[in-house]
Amino acid sequence: MARHPRGKALIRAVTVALALALATAPAAQAATPTPQAPLAAISRGTVQQEAGPLVVPSGEEGAVTTRVTVWPTWLAGDTVKARLLLPTQLFDAGDEDLQAYRGVTATCAVDGGAFQPCSWEQPGLIVQLPDTTLSGKRFFTYEFRIDAITGTEHLGTLTATLEVYDEHGVSDRGPVVFEFVKGTPEAGWRTTVLARDKAGVLWQYPSNNHAAKPVLRGRQRIGGGWNVYTSITPTSRRNADGHGDLVAVDRDGVLWYYKGSGDPAAPFKPRVRVDGGWNQYTALTSNGYGLLARDKTGVLWQYTWGTGTGTGTGTDATTLLTPRTRVGGGWNVYSALVATRGSASAIGRDTSGVLWSYAWGYRGNEPRARVGGGWNVYDSLSWSGTLDDRESYDDLVARDKSGNLWFYQGDYRNYSLVPTGKPKKIGWGWDIYDLIF
């Protein structure tokens, strides 16, 4: 299944992320003070978090800051200390190597000074804050700057306790609240839609994966000269961080391989020649096994991935694909054929506009299943990664004959990924493109 790379490990990891991130640079542990009087006898002053709870978006939005002001009831010593007691439910006693879990980073400052890494004490989830001096001050301020990665929204609302103390004991305590919410995922978690205009320029549209924003961001130019190809097929899920590969067939029937570069501004490395003879095919798509190609007689062939790396050194480019195997005949009944790159399934639209799904897997080849009719209103169909704020399967992008772009959420049915639900309009004017993928 084409799922985002989230599993139990990540969810479990972010559950303790706040405790670790507030400890980005472990320092020598401060001694825990021993109060001189029972806690019940300690008079509490005012501990106020400015502007209420700190809302922390989990994603690319960047760091946010909250300030807490303390008017101490009493402090007798020269050195004032503070600590943040995190909720005990964050601690998983089965995790011995807490350093391995980091989903949140944080720095701390006191009385308007420079931010520095907070230190922490283990066990107990105690975050030790920078010291300050008494010096006749009537109040102290503590600031927390928090930056959270995608996935830490599972932390939800966390209420910590700030304690201020000196060598004589705790003077005051009060709540500090953090609300972790879903933000815009980092580029590596977002997909892109690619399109070639009629002048041969290739463009990419990064997705937002955020319900409160448009589905696609403004287009970014990749480069010109792509009209030398009769077909272009992504072979892996494309990410907005410049990862994801594709193959292209030129007018002479030569198959070329483009490896993702990891650079969003120039997302492909120089092309590598695979082999010739690919102009015998009328349709080319990529599934979880490799490439599916339909020849002019309607026979569908499967090419699986080989041992080649496509770097252009030696013979590795030509071993990128293994020799083809025959899937079956009769596939020229379809006017569109699109496989999903993260699973062994495909959809085909027949000439009457009915959409059918196919699945290949450990159960063997499943009989085709009818998805629905009316799909001849579209002149372009392609699978993308997840476009909205769900954490699930690929989505289908469809362009109608008026140039409007729509997307359908993908879901599994009869072991095949199919478009489901009502389409959502995500653009217009897409008739300037002759390929969308």
Side-chain angles (χ1 to χ4, degrees), residues 362-386:
Y362 69 94
R363 293 169 52 93
N365 296 346
E366 298 287 336
R368 72 173 188 173
R370 190 179 192 274
V371 178
W375 287 84
N376 49 7
V377 299
Y378 301 116
D379 60 14
S380 175
L381 300 174
S382 61
W383 286 104
S384 70
T386 303

PDB file of all heavy atoms in Angstrom, residues 362-386:
ATOM      1  N   TYR A 362       0.348 -10.977  -3.985  1.00  0.00           N
ATOM      2  CA  TYR A 362       0.655 -12.310  -3.490  1.00  0.00           C
ATOM      3  C   TYR A 362      -0.513 -13.275  -3.694  1.00  0.00           C
ATOM      4  O   TYR A 362      -0.341 -14.493  -3.703  1.00  0.00           O
ATOM      5  CB  TYR A 362       1.016 -12.243  -2.005  1.00  0.00           C
ATOM      6  CG  TYR A 362      -0.128 -11.896  -1.099  1.00  0.00           C
ATOM      7  CD1 TYR A 362      -0.879 -12.904  -0.479  1.00  0.00           C
ATOM      8  CD2 TYR A 362      -0.472 -10.571  -0.857  1.00  0.00           C
ATOM      9  CE1 TYR A 362      -1.939 -12.588   0.349  1.00  0.00           C
ATOM     10  CE2 TYR A 362      -1.526 -10.257  -0.026  1.00  0.00           C
ATOM     11  CZ  TYR A 362      -2.250 -11.259   0.579  1.00  0.00           C
ATOM     12  OH  TYR A 362      -3.299 -10.932   1.406  1.00  0.00           O
ATOM     13  N   ARG A 363      -1.728 -12.745  -3.889  1.00  0.00           N
ATOM     14  CA  ARG A 363      -2.893 -13.586  -4.133  1.00  0.00           C
ATOM     15  C   ARG A 363      -3.003 -13.979  -5.604  1.00  0.00           C
ATOM     16  O   ARG A 363      -3.897 -14.703  -5.990  1.00  0.00           O
ATOM     17  CB  ARG A 363      -4.168 -12.834  -3.717  1.00  0.00           C
ATOM     18  CG  ARG A 363      -4.289 -12.593  -2.230  1.00  0.00           C
ATOM     19  CD  ARG A 363      -5.443 -11.613  -1.965  1.00  0.00           C
ATOM     20  NE  ARG A 363      -6.675 -12.048  -2.616  1.00  0.00           N
ATOM     21  CZ  ARG A 363      -7.609 -12.791  -2.040  1.00  0.00           C
ATOM     22  NH1 ARG A 363      -7.428 -13.204  -0.798  1.00  0.00           N
ATOM     23  NH2 ARG A 363      -8.698 -13.131  -2.682  1.00  0.00           N
ATOM     24  N   GLY A 364      -2.082 -13.459  -6.419  1.00  0.00           N
ATOM     25  CA  GLY A 364      -2.192 -13.680  -7.851  1.00  0.00           C
ATOM     26  C   GLY A 364      -2.939 -12.518  -8.489  1.00  0.00           C
ATOM     27  O   GLY A 364      -3.285 -11.534  -7.830  1.00  0.00           O
ATOM     28  N   ASN A 365      -3.202 -12.594  -9.778  1.00  0.00           N
ATOM     29  CA  ASN A 365      -3.894 -11.535 -10.486  1.00  0.00           C
ATOM     30  C   ASN A 365      -5.390 -11.592 -10.193  1.00  0.00           C
ATOM     31  O   ASN A 365      -6.051 -12.598 -10.447  1.00  0.00           O
ATOM     32  CB  ASN A 365      -3.653 -11.647 -11.992  1.00  0.00           C
ATOM     33  CG  ASN A 365      -2.188 -11.451 -12.346  1.00  0.00           C
ATOM     34  OD1 ASN A 365      -1.417 -10.983 -11.514  1.00  0.00           O
ATOM     35  ND2 ASN A 365      -1.820 -11.819 -13.555  1.00  0.00           N
ATOM     36  N   GLU A 366      -5.913 -10.512  -9.622  1.00  0.00           N
ATOM     37  CA  GLU A 366      -7.335 -10.451  -9.317  1.00  0.00           C
ATOM     38  C   GLU A 366      -8.130 -10.119 -10.587  1.00  0.00           C
ATOM     39  O   GLU A 366      -7.633  -9.398 -11.466  1.00  0.00           O
ATOM     40  CB  GLU A 366      -7.586  -9.379  -8.254  1.00  0.00           C
ATOM     41  CG  GLU A 366      -6.917  -9.629  -6.917  1.00  0.00           C
ATOM     42  CD  GLU A 366      -7.590 -10.738  -6.136  1.00  0.00           C
ATOM     43  OE1 GLU A 366      -8.794 -10.987  -6.394  1.00  0.00           O
ATOM     44  OE2 GLU A 366      -6.930 -11.344  -5.280  1.00  0.00           O
ATOM     45  N   PRO A 367      -9.359 -10.621 -10.720  1.00  0.00           N
ATOM     46  CA  PRO A 367     -10.204 -10.210 -11.851  1.00  0.00           C
ATOM     47  C   PRO A 367     -10.450  -8.702 -11.787  1.00  0.00           C
ATOM     48  O   PRO A 367     -10.472  -8.111 -10.706  1.00  0.00           O
ATOM     49  CB  PRO A 367     -11.499 -10.993 -11.623  1.00  0.00           C
ATOM     50  CG  PRO A 367     -11.127 -12.119 -10.714  1.00  0.00           C
ATOM     51  CD  PRO A 367     -10.029 -11.595  -9.842  1.00  0.00           C
ATOM     52  N   ARG A 368     -10.601  -8.080 -12.948  1.00  0.00           N
ATOM     53  CA  ARG A 368     -10.837  -6.646 -12.939  1.00  0.00           C
ATOM     54  C   ARG A 368     -12.149  -6.336 -12.235  1.00  0.00           C
ATOM     55  O   ARG A 368     -13.097  -7.134 -12.265  1.00  0.00           O
ATOM     56  CB  ARG A 368     -10.836  -6.085 -14.346  1.00  0.00           C
ATOM     57  CG  ARG A 368     -12.047  -6.454 -15.191  1.00  0.00           C
ATOM     58  CD  ARG A 368     -12.024  -5.706 -16.521  1.00  0.00           C
ATOM     59  NE  ARG A 368     -13.260  -5.894 -17.274  1.00  0.00           N
ATOM     60  CZ  ARG A 368     -13.564  -5.254 -18.395  1.00  0.00           C
ATOM     61  NH1 ARG A 368     -12.684  -4.397 -18.925  1.00  0.00           N
ATOM     62  NH2 ARG A 368     -14.714  -5.468 -19.023  1.00  0.00           N
ATOM     63  N   ALA A 369     -12.218  -5.161 -11.610  1.00  0.00           N
ATOM     64  CA  ALA A 369     -13.413  -4.739 -10.876  1.00  0.00           C
ATOM     65  C   ALA A 369     -13.880  -3.392 -11.418  1.00  0.00           C
ATOM     66  O   ALA A 369     -13.062  -2.501 -11.685  1.00  0.00           O
ATOM     67  CB  ALA A 369     -13.121  -4.637  -9.385  1.00  0.00           C
ATOM     68  N   ARG A 370     -15.186  -3.245 -11.583  1.00  0.00           N
ATOM     69  CA  ARG A 370     -15.744  -2.007 -12.111  1.00  0.00           C
ATOM     70  C   ARG A 370     -15.733  -0.934 -11.030  1.00  0.00           C
ATOM     71  O   ARG A 370     -16.244  -1.136  -9.932  1.00  0.00           O
ATOM     72  CB  ARG A 370     -17.175  -2.249 -12.605  1.00  0.00           C
ATOM     73  CG  ARG A 370     -17.782  -1.091 -13.386  1.00  0.00           C
ATOM     74  CD  ARG A 370     -19.196  -1.443 -13.838  1.00  0.00           C
ATOM     75  NE  ARG A 370     -19.734  -0.508 -14.808  1.00  0.00           N
ATOM     76  CZ  ARG A 370     -20.364   0.633 -14.494  1.00  0.00           C
ATOM     77  NH1 ARG A 370     -20.544   0.961 -13.206  1.00  0.00           N
ATOM     78  NH2 ARG A 370     -20.828   1.427 -15.445  1.00  0.00           N
ATOM     79  N   VAL A 371     -15.153   0.226 -11.342  1.00  0.00           N
ATOM     80  CA  VAL A 371     -15.133   1.353 -10.408  1.00  0.00           C
ATOM     81  C   VAL A 371     -16.346   2.248 -10.632  1.00  0.00           C
ATOM     82  O   VAL A 371     -17.022   2.652  -9.691  1.00  0.00           O
ATOM     83  CB  VAL A 371     -13.830   2.158 -10.568  1.00  0.00           C
ATOM     84  CG1 VAL A 371     -13.833   3.369  -9.624  1.00  0.00           C
ATOM     85  CG2 VAL A 371     -12.624   1.274 -10.292  1.00  0.00           C
ATOM     86  N   GLY A 372     -16.640   2.567 -11.896  1.00  0.00           N
ATOM     87  CA  GLY A 372     -17.787   3.423 -12.196  1.00  0.00           C
ATOM     88  C   GLY A 372     -17.715   3.981 -13.595  1.00  0.00           C
ATOM     89  O   GLY A 372     -16.689   3.882 -14.276  1.00  0.00           O
ATOM     90  N   GLY A 373     -18.795   4.576 -14.057  1.00  0.00           N
ATOM     91  CA  GLY A 373     -18.870   5.155 -15.385  1.00  0.00           C
ATOM     92  C   GLY A 373     -18.726   6.662 -15.385  1.00  0.00           C
ATOM     93  O   GLY A 373     -18.577   7.296 -14.331  1.00  0.00           O
ATOM     94  N   GLY A 374     -18.742   7.237 -16.593  1.00  0.00           N
ATOM     95  CA  GLY A 374     -18.688   8.692 -16.728  1.00  0.00           C
ATOM     96  C   GLY A 374     -17.303   9.297 -16.734  1.00  0.00           C
ATOM     97  O   GLY A 374     -17.155  10.522 -16.710  1.00  0.00           O
ATOM     98  N   TRP A 375     -16.286   8.460 -16.814  1.00  0.00           N
ATOM     99  CA  TRP A 375     -14.919   8.973 -16.727  1.00  0.00           C
ATOM    100  C   TRP A 375     -14.399   9.520 -18.050  1.00  0.00           C
ATOM    101  O   TRP A 375     -13.268  10.039 -18.109  1.00  0.00           O
ATOM    102  CB  TRP A 375     -13.996   7.877 -16.193  1.00  0.00           C
ATOM    103  CG  TRP A 375     -14.212   7.647 -14.725  1.00  0.00           C
ATOM    104  CD1 TRP A 375     -15.169   6.862 -14.157  1.00  0.00           C
ATOM    105  CD2 TRP A 375     -13.476   8.230 -13.657  1.00  0.00           C
ATOM    106  NE1 TRP A 375     -15.080   6.918 -12.779  1.00  0.00           N
ATOM    107  CE2 TRP A 375     -14.042   7.752 -12.445  1.00  0.00           C
ATOM    108  CE3 TRP A 375     -12.392   9.089 -13.579  1.00  0.00           C
ATOM    109  CZ2 TRP A 375     -13.557   8.126 -11.194  1.00  0.00           C
ATOM    110  CZ3 TRP A 375     -11.905   9.471 -12.337  1.00  0.00           C
ATOM    111  CH2 TRP A 375     -12.484   8.985 -11.158  1.00  0.00           C
ATOM    112  N   ASN A 376     -15.205   9.462 -19.104  1.00  0.00           N
ATOM    113  CA  ASN A 376     -14.771  10.051 -20.367  1.00  0.00           C
ATOM    114  C   ASN A 376     -14.925  11.570 -20.394  1.00  0.00           C
ATOM    115  O   ASN A 376     -14.617  12.205 -21.405  1.00  0.00           O
ATOM    116  CB  ASN A 376     -15.506   9.416 -21.558  1.00  0.00           C
ATOM    117  CG  ASN A 376     -17.010   9.370 -21.348  1.00  0.00           C
ATOM    118  OD1 ASN A 376     -17.532   9.927 -20.381  1.00  0.00           O
ATOM    119  ND2 ASN A 376     -17.697   8.678 -22.250  1.00  0.00           N
ATOM    120  N   VAL A 377     -15.357  12.171 -19.286  1.00  0.00           N
ATOM    121  CA  VAL A 377     -15.369  13.639 -19.201  1.00  0.00           C
ATOM    122  C   VAL A 377     -13.946  14.167 -19.005  1.00  0.00           C
ATOM    123  O   VAL A 377     -13.703  15.371 -19.137  1.00  0.00           O
ATOM    124  CB  VAL A 377     -16.266  14.131 -18.043  1.00  0.00           C
ATOM    125  CG1 VAL A 377     -17.697  13.686 -18.256  1.00  0.00           C
ATOM    126  CG2 VAL A 377     -15.748  13.666 -16.690  1.00  0.00           C
ATOM    127  N   TYR A 378     -13.007  13.265 -18.698  1.00  0.00           N
ATOM    128  CA  TYR A 378     -11.622  13.678 -18.453  1.00  0.00           C
ATOM    129  C   TYR A 378     -10.725  13.275 -19.617  1.00  0.00           C
ATOM    130  O   TYR A 378     -10.883  12.192 -20.196  1.00  0.00           O
ATOM    131  CB  TYR A 378     -11.087  13.032 -17.167  1.00  0.00           C
ATOM    132  CG  TYR A 378     -11.892  13.388 -15.930  1.00  0.00           C
ATOM    133  CD1 TYR A 378     -12.590  12.411 -15.225  1.00  0.00           C
ATOM    134  CD2 TYR A 378     -11.951  14.701 -15.477  1.00  0.00           C
ATOM    135  CE1 TYR A 378     -13.318  12.728 -14.086  1.00  0.00           C
ATOM    136  CE2 TYR A 378     -12.685  15.034 -14.343  1.00  0.00           C
ATOM    137  CZ  TYR A 378     -13.372  14.043 -13.649  1.00  0.00           C
ATOM    138  OH  TYR A 378     -14.094  14.372 -12.533  1.00  0.00           O
ATOM    139  N   ASP A 379      -9.771  14.159 -19.949  1.00  0.00           N
ATOM    140  CA  ASP A 379      -8.802  13.825 -20.985  1.00  0.00           C
ATOM    141  C   ASP A 379      -7.419  13.533 -20.421  1.00  0.00           C
ATOM    142  O   ASP A 379      -6.478  13.283 -21.175  1.00  0.00           O
ATOM    143  CB  ASP A 379      -8.722  14.942 -22.040  1.00  0.00           C
ATOM    144  CG  ASP A 379      -8.306  16.288 -21.456  1.00  0.00           C
ATOM    145  OD1 ASP A 379      -7.827  16.333 -20.303  1.00  0.00           O
ATOM    146  OD2 ASP A 379      -8.446  17.307 -22.164  1.00  0.00           O
ATOM    147  N   SER A 380      -7.286  13.556 -19.091  1.00  0.00           N
ATOM    148  CA  SER A 380      -6.014  13.217 -18.451  1.00  0.00           C
ATOM    149  C   SER A 380      -6.292  12.614 -17.077  1.00  0.00           C
ATOM    150  O   SER A 380      -7.079  13.166 -16.299  1.00  0.00           O
ATOM    151  CB  SER A 380      -5.134  14.465 -18.304  1.00  0.00           C
ATOM    152  OG  SER A 380      -3.950  14.170 -17.572  1.00  0.00           O
ATOM    153  N   LEU A 381      -5.659  11.478 -16.798  1.00  0.00           N
ATOM    154  CA  LEU A 381      -5.757  10.816 -15.505  1.00  0.00           C
ATOM    155  C   LEU A 381      -4.350  10.461 -15.037  1.00  0.00           C
ATOM    156  O   LEU A 381      -3.544   9.938 -15.820  1.00  0.00           O
ATOM    157  CB  LEU A 381      -6.593   9.530 -15.593  1.00  0.00           C
ATOM    158  CG  LEU A 381      -8.044   9.628 -16.040  1.00  0.00           C
ATOM    159  CD1 LEU A 381      -8.641   8.230 -16.191  1.00  0.00           C
ATOM    160  CD2 LEU A 381      -8.861  10.438 -15.038  1.00  0.00           C
ATOM    161  N   SER A 382      -4.040  10.738 -13.773  1.00  0.00           N
ATOM    162  CA  SER A 382      -2.723  10.372 -13.239  1.00  0.00           C
ATOM    163  C   SER A 382      -2.808  10.268 -11.723  1.00  0.00           C
ATOM    164  O   SER A 382      -3.586  10.969 -11.077  1.00  0.00           O
ATOM    165  CB  SER A 382      -1.657  11.400 -13.641  1.00  0.00           C
ATOM    166  OG  SER A 382      -1.968  12.682 -13.121  1.00  0.00           O
ATOM    167  N   TRP A 383      -1.974   9.368 -11.176  1.00  0.00           N
ATOM    168  CA  TRP A 383      -1.875   9.235  -9.726  1.00  0.00           C
ATOM    169  C   TRP A 383      -0.792  10.166  -9.198  1.00  0.00           C
ATOM    170  O   TRP A 383       0.237  10.369  -9.843  1.00  0.00           O
ATOM    171  CB  TRP A 383      -1.532   7.799  -9.335  1.00  0.00           C
ATOM    172  CG  TRP A 383      -2.667   6.834  -9.491  1.00  0.00           C
ATOM    173  CD1 TRP A 383      -2.817   5.925 -10.494  1.00  0.00           C
ATOM    174  CD2 TRP A 383      -3.787   6.673  -8.622  1.00  0.00           C
ATOM    175  NE1 TRP A 383      -3.974   5.202 -10.311  1.00  0.00           N
ATOM    176  CE2 TRP A 383      -4.593   5.644  -9.163  1.00  0.00           C
ATOM    177  CE3 TRP A 383      -4.207   7.295  -7.448  1.00  0.00           C
ATOM    178  CZ2 TRP A 383      -5.779   5.224  -8.580  1.00  0.00           C
ATOM    179  CZ3 TRP A 383      -5.383   6.882  -6.858  1.00  0.00           C
ATOM    180  CH2 TRP A 383      -6.157   5.870  -7.404  1.00  0.00           C
ATOM    181  N   SER A 384      -1.036  10.727  -8.027  1.00  0.00           N
ATOM    182  CA  SER A 384      -0.023  11.525  -7.337  1.00  0.00           C
ATOM    183  C   SER A 384       0.150  10.945  -5.942  1.00  0.00           C
ATOM    184  O   SER A 384      -0.495   9.960  -5.584  1.00  0.00           O
ATOM    185  CB  SER A 384      -0.466  12.986  -7.243  1.00  0.00           C
ATOM    186  OG  SER A 384      -1.551  13.110  -6.335  1.00  0.00           O
ATOM    187  N   GLY A 385       0.992  11.565  -5.151  1.00  0.00           N
ATOM    188  CA  GLY A 385       1.005  11.228  -3.734  1.00  0.00           C
ATOM    189  C   GLY A 385      -0.225  11.811  -3.067  1.00  0.00           C
ATOM    190  O   GLY A 385      -1.125  12.360  -3.723  1.00  0.00           O
ATOM    191  N   THR A 386      -0.294  11.732  -1.752  1.00  0.00           N
ATOM    192  CA  THR A 386      -1.427  12.292  -1.020  1.00  0.00           C
ATOM    193  C   THR A 386      -1.412  13.810  -1.124  1.00  0.00           C
ATOM    194  O   THR A 386      -0.413  14.452  -0.797  1.00  0.00           O
ATOM    195  CB  THR A 386      -1.381  11.875   0.453  1.00  0.00           C
ATOM    196  OG1 THR A 386      -1.367  10.449   0.530  1.00  0.00           O
ATOM    197  CG2 THR A 386      -2.591  12.400   1.204  1.00  0.00           C
TER     198      THR A 386
END
